[in-house]
Amino acid sequence: MNEIILGIESSCDDTSAAIIKDGYLLSNIIANQQVHKAYGGVVPELASRAHQQNIIPVVDQAIKTAGIRKEEITGIAFTRGPGLLGSLLVGNSFAKGFALVNGIPLIEVNHLQAHVLAHFINEKDKKNKHPQFPFLCLLVSGGHTQIIKVSDYFEMEIIGQTIDDAAGEAFDKCAKTIGLSYPGGPEIDKYAKDGNPLAYTFTRPKVKDFDYSFSGLKTAFLYFIRDRVKENPEFIKDNRDDLCASIQYTIIDILLNKLEKVIKETGIKEIAVAGGVAANSGLRDMLYELGKKQNLNVFFPEFKFTTDNAAMIAITGYHKFLKGEFVGQDITPLARMPI
Ligand code: KG4
Ligand code: ZN
């Protein structure tokens, strides 16, 4: 066959390019943007400027690492949305130009679908395990928290989702409250390993059906910390690990509680996790535990495929390429784009 897809990801603060050949990953290059660390969150204008600087070297490195020639690429896939418009525009413009110059088809990719389809990336000399259709995907990232029923590559139905903040946002905001750096998820994960998850309890939100809510928890955590610090200015320093373990445990407990309900309702026992929060070690441990108890097949993508990366864009593009789903030069990015 020799279908070679170049994938481009630029929806937020990572510039990434990847090459997939016949479903197998040849390279996946990611340039993180350190510029946002000082601001405690992503600054959109700085993100799009950094994408402009990074895109050409990142693509160049992806092609070199893959050991192919640019002329061998048969299709180019890019993230159309959802994401920051200025950031998306850089990847979108690059992909359009590349498609035009090289006379190859252009493929639009939904970033959220790509997080789900990261489960189908194959690597040479590895036996990557893939979930069987239909499966449930818990998509947990900085911007999204959804339970998705995946019946086929592009047949996805949202069963439940957050009505306010995303789980990753809850990690990031709670981390900020106790002075940890951005992004806070990995920081909380790190300190939680040495803490007691039951040291502090926080009330669980009451949301109907299979939906989530995290904004109340974030506020409860903020007030809790404020009150304790009034009594003891050293409270955060003295209890950092227990605070991290307890807030992490609460977020995971909320996530798994609803997931369990959906499993019961649908009878689906293939469970996949996607998005940046899938990197969380507590979530992995607790979901594997649940899997053992309930006879579930649990899938976590490899760490490098959980946070934003172009390998997931390229694999999604590859499956669209096989279906002949291409777009024209008039395509524009979308800040909002439903799954
Ligand atoms: O999918 P992603 O890279 O970007 C999008 O939001 O699309 O997800 C980023 C989110 C951030 O909120 C970050 O704090 C969270 O994933 N995250 C984690 C961990 N690693 C990344 N949250 C908890 N534990 C982690 N180990
Ligand atoms: Zn993402």
Side-chain angles (χ1 to χ4, degrees):
M1 280 197 301
N2 280 354
E3 302 303 358
I4 301 183
I5 307 296
L6 167 62
I8 306 283
E9 157 64 24
S10 72
S11 65
C12 190
D13 60 340
D14 294 305
T15 320
S16 182
I19 300 280
I20 290 254
K21 183 177 180 184
D22 298 330
Y24 280 82
L25 185 66
L26 300 186
S27 64
N28 183 33
I29 307 296
I30 304 172
N32 304 116
Q33 302 181 357
Q34 297 303 322
V35 62
H36 308 289
K37 272 219 184 279
Y39 299 92
V42 176
V43 184
E45 179 56 32
L46 295 180
S48 64
R49 275 192 236 164
H51 282 305
Q52 285 174 25
Q53 285 172 350
N54 292 341
I55 188 105
I56 303 233
V58 163
V59 169
D60 195 47
Q61 206 181 327
I63 292 173
K64 282 195 181 121
T65 308
I68 58 154
R69 284 178 301 111
K70 170 168 80 42
E71 293 72 26
E72 291 178 86
I73 295 170
T74 49
I76 178 161
F78 68 97
T79 306
R80 185 180 183 199
L84 301 170
L85 262 189
S87 292
L88 291 165
L89 203 55
V90 178
N92 182 320
S93 312
F94 177 87
K96 281 202 243 181
F98 193 94
L100 197 64
V101 168
N102 295 288
I104 55 171
L106 184 61
I107 305 157
E108 59 148 19
V109 169
N110 179 312
H111 181 86
L112 302 176
Q113 284 190 348
H115 268 303
V116 177
L117 296 184
H119 283 278
F120 295 93
I121 295 168
N122 295 300
E123 291 167 284
K124 286 248 154 64
D125 309 321
K126 270 198 195 169
K127 283 212 163 72
N128 303 78
K129 280 195 206 145
H130 309 310
Q132 304 275 318
F133 298 118
F135 63 90
L136 295 174
C137 187
L138 177 66
L139 172 59
V140 270
S141 72
H144 295 87
T145 299
Q146 300 174 329
I147 301 175
I148 304 160
K149 181 181 169 191
V150 188
S151 304
D152 206 340
Y153 290 113
F154 298 102
E155 220 177 288
M156 301 187 191
E157 180 196 350
I158 295 170
I159 310 264
Q161 61 188 323
T162 182
I163 57 166
D164 42 55
D165 291 355
E169 212 175 337
F171 269 105
D172 294 340
K173 287 182 175 165
C174 290
K176 197 172 175 186
T177 302
I178 54 171
L180 301 179
S181 63
Y182 177 85
E187 294 284 297
I188 290 192
D189 195 358
K190 182 172 74 188
Y191 297 122
K193 291 195 172 88
D194 298 318
N196 173 9
L198 303 175
Y200 307 105
T201 47
F202 303 100
T203 345
R204 312 295 197 255
K206 288 190 179 60
V207 191
K208 70 170 179 50
D209 303 328
F210 307 125
D211 285 341
Y212 290 113
S213 164
F214 287 101
S215 81
L217 178 65
K218 166 195 73 188
T219 315
F221 187 72
L222 180 75
Y223 290 161
F224 170 81
I225 297 290
R226 189 193 57 186
D227 294 347
R228 293 299 174 101
V229 168
K230 261 189 213 156
E231 294 161 10
N232 167 18
E234 300 294 304
F235 177 73
I236 297 174
K237 201 165 121 268
D238 294 348
N239 300 284
R240 185 195 59 196
D241 297 350
D242 282 350
L243 284 168
C244 288
S246 299
I247 196 66
Q248 173 168 301
Y249 178 80
T250 309
I251 295 171
I252 299 170
D253 192 47
I254 294 168
L255 286 172
L256 295 189
N257 220 293
K258 287 287 169 96
L259 181 64
E260 247 188 284
K261 284 189 179 152
V262 177
I263 293 170
K264 224 181 228 158
E265 173 84 9
T266 59
I268 296 175
K269 291 195 171 268
E270 297 271 308
I271 312 296
V273 186
V277 182
N280 186 268
S281 57
L283 177 60
R284 284 180 188 237
D285 293 348
M286 282 171 71
L287 187 50
Y288 278 126
E289 186 86 355
L290 183 71
K292 261 191 231 150
K293 271 193 217 138
Q294 300 201 359
N295 223 358
L296 310 172
N297 258 333
V298 175
F299 298 84
F300 276 92
E302 255 193 75
F303 181 75
K304 60 183 186 241
F305 301 138
T306 55
T307 44
D308 290 349
N309 66 85
M312 68 184 195
I313 306 302
I315 192 72
T316 307
Y318 172 70
H319 286 285
K320 283 199 160 182
F321 184 97
L322 296 182
K323 280 160 54 110
E325 269 188 34
F326 307 131
V327 290
Q329 284 287 330
D330 56 345
I331 196 89
T332 48
L334 296 172
R336 290 171 174 273
M337 191 176 177
I339 205 158

